[in-house]
Amino acid sequence: MKTYPLYLNGQWVTTQTVLPVVNPATAERFAEACTVDRRRVAEAVRDAHAAFQNWRQLTGKARGVYLKAVADEMERRAEDIARIITLENGKPLAQSRGEVAMSADHLRWFAEEARRVYGRTIPNQVDSKRHVVIKTPMGVVGAISPWNFPLLLAARKVAPALAAGCTVILKPASATPLSAVALAECAEVAKAPAGVFQLVLGRSAEIAQEFLDNPLCRKITFTGSTEVGRTLIRGAAADIKPLSLELGGHAPVLVFDDADLRAAVEGAMMAKFRNTGQSCIAANRIYVQRPIYEKFLQLFTERTRAMKVGDGMKDGVEIGPLINQEGVAKAAEHIEDAVRRGARLLCGGKRIEGQGWFLEPTVLADVPPDAMCMSEETFAPVAAVCPFDTESEAVKQANSSPYGLSAYAFTRDLSRAWRLMESLEAGTIAINDGVPSTSQCPFGGVKQSGWGRELGIEGLDAFVETKHVSLGLGS
């Protein structure tokens, strides 16, 4: 069994303490990853701070050269890295290949955006003064990434921070550390200077606390649950430490009776079942206008029944395992609760016996608003569907959640589309689109779905300080 080291200050470090890495398709350990304690994380922060002094002096163009080299190596090793993602996360191999491709695209986008960290000149109101705004990198960044897109969501943090001139310490999820090791290997091949990018793994609470308490760590960026986000907010309050938080979601899908029905079904399928439903922007609540409700259910259920479930390494698999047994148990609880409250179970609903953590893709119809799955993120291949009558009713239901990461709508009415863009409470609104995320557009949530934005020009701006400089010219 291979033991994977950590990447600290330009060196690969092996430790005595390790974490098991389990394949969710078999529930078996297939690798181990080294861990460090809080003391060693503090040392990594010091090394990152030292490296920052030179890294920040490079031009954006020069930093972009390193990021492009990381992307080149990632693409060269694309198949190998995709297999690593599937082994530790469980998602179908085709989706892992897509994750590698999008991660490389993130790196390339921010490699180019590093050239465009613009300030501005502001017209003066006093003859003897001139005003300019400049942008400077924040410093050491502590990045904490999740397990559901283990490479993509790490790259989404690392790339803009490095492009801005910051140095980064990445703490990946304990369940999926090997994707981050692969990212570090690509950084090593790119010959990024020692300390600019480091990889740590260990007790999540200890590492997060070091990031919070250490004055040399100037920013924390986190993707994960709203509960953990609240903990970070409380911890950051003492020193007013800046946070970027991409937290939970509970995305609604609105399907109107004027929509292209088959396109709406396909879009809802992508929004719901991509990554086995384990996505923060997954469709958790599907609202369909009553005149097309039963037809939508028929088509959607037929497509769901036809999905191939299995080990993500096997050809044609569309639905892989859930990440762990707890995920299966939570999904089963949501299904049972909905049925008990009056929902119709149209397909699925059962755990698939045998090795691994598999659940049948499930469609629930007529789900009442008080069902658990209508207020809690299910994070599984479970689609909850219910009817609505009017646009205003649909918008009210969509906005009833305390979360606002993403929302989807299917309609051919342009006026309605504009109304929905303005009225839906979400950071990303997808109209006739089941996969809205892209490197060049901002991503993030409103309400309890987080603070700040990743990707786009906003993603880089999250790692720079904005300074106003007032120049006195004298007499």
Side-chain angles (χ1 to χ4, degrees):
M1 184 180 299
K2 184 174 181 179
T3 299
Y4 288 78
L6 299 175
Y7 192 59
L8 297 166
N9 203 27
Q11 301 293 321
W12 290 103
V13 175
T14 302
T15 64
Q16 294 299 311
T17 56
V18 297
L19 276 176
V21 185
V22 176
N23 182 347
T26 63
E28 295 175 346
R29 177 190 298 203
F30 71 95
E32 296 174 334
C34 291
T35 67
V36 289
D37 59 16
R38 182 172 173 176
R39 179 196 61 78
R40 189 62 184 85
V41 176
E43 187 177 334
V45 173
R46 290 194 297 272
D47 291 336
H49 180 68
F52 171 63
Q53 310 312 315
N54 290 325
W55 183 250
R56 69 179 300 176
Q57 299 300 326
L58 294 182
T59 64
K61 181 179 179 180
R63 292 193 295 267
V65 169
Y66 285 107
L67 290 177
K68 288 177 181 177
V70 176
D72 288 343
E73 180 63 11
M74 186 177 291
E75 289 171 342
R76 189 188 70 80
R77 292 186 52 198
E79 189 64 19
D80 170 51
I81 296 174
R83 293 178 66 84
I84 288 170
I85 293 172
T86 293
L87 282 171
E88 65 178 353
N89 170 276
K91 69 180 63 181
L93 187 57
Q95 294 183 27
S96 294
R97 292 182 182 120
E99 180 166 342
V100 176
M102 182 56 73
S103 299
D105 191 68
H106 286 354
L107 288 158
R108 294 194 186 283
W109 162 262
F110 284 110
E112 293 298 326
E113 200 61 20
R115 301 168 180 245
R116 292 182 280 273
V117 186
Y118 297 130
R120 68 186 191 274
T121 301
I122 299 173
N124 55 296
Q125 297 184 18
V126 177
D127 288 342
S128 60
K129 291 185 179 183
R130 298 295 184 268
H131 300 278
V132 295
V133 170
I134 63 172
K135 307 271 185 157
T136 59
M138 298 184 79
V140 179
V141 172
I144 305 173
S145 59
W147 55 261
N148 57 334
F149 292 91
L151 181 67
L152 183 70
L153 297 184
R156 192 174 286 187
K157 301 176 185 308
V158 172
L162 294 181
C166 300
T167 53
V168 182
I169 302 167
L170 173 65
K171 190 275 174 193
S174 298
T176 54
L178 307 188
S179 300
V181 173
L183 177 59
E185 290 169 348
C186 294
E188 182 189 37
V189 170
K191 295 182 170 53
V196 167
F197 171 72
Q198 299 180 83
L199 173 65
V200 299
L201 189 67
R203 294 181 181 274
S204 298
E206 282 188 10
I207 294 173
Q209 199 62 53
E210 182 60 35
F211 287 163
L212 287 166
D213 293 345
N214 195 315
L216 297 181
C217 180
R218 300 297 298 273
K219 171 77 182 263
I220 298 174
T221 175
F222 168 79
T223 295
S225 71
T226 298
E227 179 183 0
V228 174
R230 289 192 183 97
T231 300
L232 290 173
I233 291 169
R234 286 191 290 268
D239 295 321
I240 322 295
K241 183 156 294 187
L243 301 173
S244 288
L245 303 172
E246 195 262 277
L247 306 177
H250 201 243
V253 178
L254 308 183
V255 182
F256 291 89
D257 60 9
D258 66 341
D260 180 327
L261 185 56
R262 292 189 180 277
V265 168
E266 290 304 312
M269 292 289 296
M270 287 189 288
K272 173 66 261 182
F273 294 114
R274 186 170 66 107
N275 203 41
T276 313
Q278 299 172 120
S279 169
C280 293
I281 63 170
N284 275 266
R285 301 167 289 146
I286 302 175
Y287 300 102
V288 183
Q289 202 157 23
R290 202 173 300 274
I292 61 168
Y293 181 64
E294 291 299 335
K295 184 62 176 177
F296 177 92
L297 286 172
Q298 177 192 339
L299 295 174
F300 190 84
T301 304
E302 287 173 358
R303 282 283 287 109
T304 303
R305 282 199 187 101
M307 298 185 85
K308 183 177 180 180
V309 182
D311 187 327
M313 287 295 192
K314 295 181 179 178
D315 291 341
V317 167
E318 298 171 275
I319 298 289
L322 297 183
I323 190 64
N324 53 33
Q325 174 58 36
E326 290 76 13
V328 176
K330 179 182 177 183
E333 182 183 11
H334 279 197
I335 294 167
E336 292 165 6
D337 172 76
V339 172
R340 186 170 60 250
R341 294 177 189 273
R344 288 185 285 154
L345 179 62
L346 300 187
C347 71
K350 298 178 182 177
R351 173 175 179 169
I352 299 173
E353 297 301 325
Q355 285 188 314
W357 299 303
F358 292 93
L359 181 76
E360 294 176 339
T362 301
V363 179
L364 296 164
D366 308 340
V367 183
D370 60 348
M372 293 171 64
C373 63
M374 298 301 281
S375 59
E376 298 179 13
E377 198 171 18
T378 304
F379 240 57
V382 178
V385 190
C386 48
F388 71 89
D389 291 301
T390 66
E391 180 183 323
S392 60
E393 175 193 352
V395 170
K396 182 178 180 180
Q397 290 173 327
N399 291 341
S400 64
S401 171
Y403 303 102
L405 189 58
S406 62
Y408 304 82
F410 293 87
T411 179
R412 285 187 282 200
D413 184 330
L414 182 59
S415 297
R416 172 180 288 134
W418 277 105
R419 291 194 298 271
L420 294 172
M421 293 177 209
E422 296 172 352
S423 61
L424 289 173
E425 297 172 350
T428 294
I429 298 170
I431 307 291
N432 300 323
D433 182 8
V435 187
S437 297
T438 183
S439 299
Q440 69 271 25
C441 297
F443 179 88
V446 301
K447 298 191 285 189
Q448 293 184 27
S449 286
W451 289 349
R453 293 294 182 269
E454 296 181 319
L455 303 180
I457 59 175
E458 293 85 353
L460 195 146
D461 204 48
F463 297 101
V464 296
E465 300 285 9
T466 300
K467 299 179 180 178
H468 162 226
V469 182
S470 180
L471 298 168
L473 303 183
S475 56

